[in-house]
Amino acid sequence: MTRRPLLAVDWGTSSLRGAWLDESGQVLQERAFDRGILSVAAGQFPAVFDSCFGDWMSRPGALCLMSGMVGSQQGWQQAAYCPCPADLTLIAASLTWVRPGCLAIVPGLSCEHGAVPDVMRGEETQVLGAMQLLGLRDSLLVLPGTHSKWVRLRDAAIESFATCMTGEFYALLRQHSILARSLPADDGVLDRRVFCQGVEQALAGSSLLNTAFSTRTLALFERLKPEVLPSYLSGLVIGEELRAQSLPAGSSLVLVGSENLTQRYQCALELLGVSSQSVGSQAAWAGLWTISQTI
Amino acid sequence: MTRRPLLAVDWGTSSLRGAWLDESGQVLQERAFDRGILSVAAGQFPAVFDSCFGDWMSRPGALCLMSGMVGSQQGWQQAAYCPCPADLTLIAASLTWVRPGCLAIVPGLSCEHGAVPDVMRGEETQVLGAMQLLGLRDSLLVLPGTHSKWVRLRDAAIESFATCMTGEFYALLRQHSILARSLPADDGVLDRRVFCQGVEQALAGSSLLNTAFSTRTLALFERLKPEVLPSYLSGLVIGEELRAQSLPAGSSLVLVGSENLTQRYQCALELLGVSSQSVGSQAAWAGLWTISQTI
């Protein structure tokens, strides 16, 4: 077990966040930068890292663990995927050391569904954090986002997971489809009633290919006002994601993510009679801290 | 019954096609122009029409019937939707005359699924044509495209229909999603085996939100080569459309559309044990001719 201060870094596609944790795992400071890996040229990762966190790393005994797309082909250094089932011990034993003893990248995970693989990078760390914060061993977790991850825990290991491109489908339909012509420029405030109407429509349907078109016809027939259409469409895509899971009423799951998103999923899950508890962005810090205590 | 030569016009969002039919309904000549309604400024429809078809319309006794988005808000003149169920008699009685006795627009159709409307413009005419060409009275028809239409005929009337945004979802994923990074610039020739692999994947799944991601992971793990990914993705979206219909094995349906598309659907339907027959683009001309014989 390491008793060192930890620089925990969540370096994703579009953002870079870091936190400074003391020897007991307490978060003392946080920083965020618009320096997602897509904004960093090959070879420039060390310089960007040092400019953002150099002062923290120069402190005595500092250890840095990074998770997210920083370990992808397009990132600082490729960190091979760990195959599922994967637990804390396996993940902590599979770090890719960029600066030996000092700076490492957490591996992503892969799993197989028949002949089709699935992958995640960064979410495995949030799951480890949620497990630690909530004491989970056997649960279903959802990490909503551009690519939502549905994660099955069994005996304190990530047994399998599946990706839904929910956030990306919303953005595609919102920005690039024929529906964009009916929608206002700004998403505005969520209309909870209309959001639920979209969820119900998706749950009663069989595919977003069909239900998405109702956004257009409800606007065409003036049954929904333009300003609530983004709420309706959000309900449709999140409802579609939930429909596809066939969750039994009375079941429960854990939501991991920003409050803005987890609140929408909570609303939608209530319509299904599924209970949920939520963990926020501190899950990543807790996950990196838990790994640091295992190496 | 009218015994006049007919100018049949299919004026859609992105294309303008016309055919000259003699008094017996024989197609004598066809013309196509890149003058879809989106390329025509408000007020310019008469001028574009006359420049494309003025010579035909100056012939003695000429009648022109137009179908498609030309009857929408963004078209030449709005033609109100006929509510379903709608048969040939109702549709022919609901023409919008732009030049009385001489030039009319066929109405679109609307139908209701619970509190959600659906609409079509142009496909109703192709359905009437397919009915006439194949002698249909009680059938399921599919008109694949950007927005596929699934049409249920009962007693020689269009009882109801539903839209699937299949072609548009393909284009969105192909051009604007993260999958676009894995796909080659050009779609290339269809790889039938890989197309069927995509169909099977969609049929085994529960939502395109999830199955679409396999395009990325199969590329990432080099289990599919980049050049066949468009075929795989096409199989995924068409397979998703078919999955959502829950078609019983042993059933049959009618495909109406271009050979390029109907062949893909035929392949996919074979995997489901569903038989199909196809009608091509002559269905629009036959539909407009049938209407002209009823007014």
Side-chain angles (χ1 to χ4, degrees):
Chain A
M1 192 190 295
T2 320
R3 283 286 173 198
R4 295 163 65 180
L6 177 71
L7 167 54
V9 172
D10 172 16
W11 204 338
T13 304
S14 56
S15 74
L16 169 59
R17 298 190 308 134
W20 180 253
L21 284 68
D22 68 15
E23 287 84 347
S24 69
Q26 194 77 18
V27 176
L28 303 180
Q29 275 183 283
E30 291 190 65
R31 291 177 185 171
F33 305 90
D34 285 336
R35 296 307 309 263
I37 68 153
L38 292 182
S39 79
V40 181
Q44 293 305 305
F45 283 91
V48 171
F49 177 81
D50 290 334
S51 74
C52 294
F53 303 117
D55 55 333
W56 284 352
M57 281 307 284
S58 66
R59 295 179 186 172
L63 169 71
C64 175
L65 294 181
M66 302 191 291
S67 62
M69 292 301 282
V70 66
S72 70
Q73 276 176 354
Q74 292 77 38
W76 189 335
Q77 188 168 321
Q78 198 166 353
Y81 294 108
C82 264
C84 282
D87 62 5
L88 172 61
T89 308
L90 179 63
I91 291 170
S94 308
L95 299 179
T96 295
W97 288 94
V98 178
R99 294 175 182 169
C102 176
L103 192 164
I105 298 175
V106 175
L109 299 189
S110 65
C111 72
E112 297 281 339
H113 300 284
V116 176
D118 206 332
V119 292
M120 59 165 61
R121 276 198 192 278
E123 293 90 351
E124 71 298 323
T125 302
Q126 295 179 58
V127 170
L128 293 177
M131 289 167 69
Q132 200 243 326
L133 291 168
L134 301 177
L136 309 173
R137 289 184 57 87
D138 297 273
S139 303
L140 178 63
L141 295 91
V142 190
L143 297 87
T146 304
H147 296 167
S148 294
K149 304 292 178 181
W150 287 73
V151 180
R152 170 63 63 187
L153 286 190
R154 188 92 61 196
D155 288 337
I158 297 176
E159 186 183 54
S160 69
F161 61 89
T163 301
C164 282
M165 297 173 64
T166 312
E168 182 158 11
F169 271 64
Y170 177 80
L172 291 171
L173 292 167
R174 174 82 185 85
Q175 294 164 25
H176 299 290
S177 81
I178 192 173
L179 308 182
R181 297 188 210 164
S182 308
L183 270 66
D186 191 62
D187 269 11
V189 180
L190 184 76
D191 184 311
R192 193 178 157 130
R193 193 187 58 76
V194 174
F195 171 80
C196 288
Q197 187 182 338
V199 173
E200 298 275 20
Q201 187 64 28
L203 294 176
S206 54
S207 172
L208 187 64
L209 288 183
N210 169 248
T211 56
F213 196 63
S214 66
T215 312
R216 176 160 166 76
T217 56
L218 289 168
L220 197 63
F221 284 67
E222 296 177 352
R223 296 187 193 168
L224 283 180
K225 292 181 179 170
E227 62 266 29
V228 301
L229 292 175
S231 298
Y232 181 73
L233 182 59
S234 176
L236 280 182
V237 294
I238 291 174
E240 169 79 357
E241 181 179 356
L242 299 183
R243 180 195 61 71
Q245 310 301 323
S246 306
L247 299 166
S251 62
S252 67
L253 51 74
V254 177
L255 290 161
V256 185
S258 70
E259 205 175 302
N260 171 44
L261 268 181
T262 56
Q263 279 184 346
R264 292 186 186 210
Y265 279 73
Q266 255 168 346
C267 283
L269 287 165
E270 278 168 22
L271 296 174
L272 281 169
V274 172
S275 62
S276 57
Q277 54 182 327
S278 299
V279 187
S281 57
Q282 76 273 28
W285 308 149
L288 290 165
W289 173 255
T290 304
I291 296 169
S292 79
Q293 298 304 296
T294 311
I295 56 180
Chain B
M1 193 189 291
T2 319
R3 283 287 173 198
R4 295 163 65 181
L6 177 70
L7 167 54
V9 172
D10 172 17
W11 203 338
T13 304
S14 55
S15 74
L16 169 58
R17 297 189 310 134
W20 181 253
L21 284 69
D22 68 15
E23 288 83 347
S24 69
Q26 194 76 20
V27 176
L28 303 180
Q29 276 184 280
E30 292 190 65
R31 291 177 185 170
F33 305 90
D34 284 336
R35 296 307 309 264
I37 67 154
L38 291 182
S39 79
V40 181
Q44 293 305 305
F45 284 91
V48 170
F49 177 80
D50 290 334
S51 74
C52 294
F53 303 116
D55 56 333
W56 284 351
M57 281 306 284
S58 66
R59 295 179 186 173
L63 169 70
C64 174
L65 294 181
M66 303 191 290
S67 62
M69 293 300 281
V70 66
S72 70
Q73 276 177 354
Q74 292 77 38
W76 188 337
Q77 188 167 321
Q78 197 166 354
Y81 293 108
C82 266
C84 283
D87 63 5
L88 172 61
T89 308
L90 179 64
I91 292 170
S94 308
L95 299 180
T96 294
W97 289 93
V98 178
R99 295 174 182 170
C102 177
L103 192 163
I105 299 175
V106 176
L109 299 189
S110 65
C111 71
E112 296 281 339
H113 300 283
V116 176
D118 208 331
V119 293
M120 58 164 63
R121 276 199 193 277
E123 293 90 352
E124 72 297 324
T125 301
Q126 296 178 59
V127 169
L128 293 177
M131 288 168 68
Q132 200 244 324
L133 291 168
L134 301 178
L136 309 174
R137 288 185 56 88
D138 297 272
S139 303
L140 179 63
L141 294 91
V142 191
L143 297 89
T146 305
H147 296 167
S148 294
K149 304 291 178 182
W150 287 74
V151 180
R152 169 62 63 187
L153 286 190
R154 188 92 59 197
D155 288 336
I158 296 176
E159 186 183 55
S160 69
F161 61 89
T163 301
C164 282
M165 297 173 66
T166 312
E168 182 158 10
F169 270 66
Y170 177 79
L172 290 170
L173 291 167
R174 174 82 183 86
Q175 294 163 26
H176 299 291
S177 80
I178 192 173
L179 308 181
R181 296 189 210 165
S182 308
L183 269 68
D186 191 61
D187 269 10
V189 180
L190 184 76
D191 184 312
R192 195 178 155 129
R193 193 187 58 78
V194 174
F195 171 80
C196 288
Q197 187 182 339
V199 173
E200 298 274 21
Q201 187 65 26
L203 293 176
S206 54
S207 172
L208 187 63
L209 287 183
N210 168 248
T211 57
F213 196 64
S214 66
T215 312
R216 176 161 166 77
T217 55
L218 289 168
L220 197 63
F221 284 67
E222 296 176 352
R223 296 186 193 169
L224 284 180
K225 291 181 179 169
E227 62 266 28
V228 302
L229 292 176
S231 298
Y232 181 74
L233 182 60
S234 176
L236 281 181
V237 294
I238 290 174
E240 168 79 357
E241 183 179 355
L242 299 183
R243 180 194 62 71
Q245 310 301 323
S246 305
L247 299 167
S251 61
S252 67
L253 51 74
V254 177
L255 291 161
V256 185
S258 69
E259 205 175 303
N260 171 42
L261 267 181
T262 56
Q263 279 184 347
R264 292 186 186 209
Y265 279 73
Q266 256 169 345
C267 282
L269 286 165
E270 278 169 22
L271 296 174
L272 281 169
V274 173
S275 61
S276 58
Q277 53 183 327
S278 298
V279 186
S281 57
Q282 75 272 29
W285 308 149
L288 290 165
W289 173 255
T290 304
I291 295 170
S292 79
Q293 297 305 296
T294 311
I295 55 179

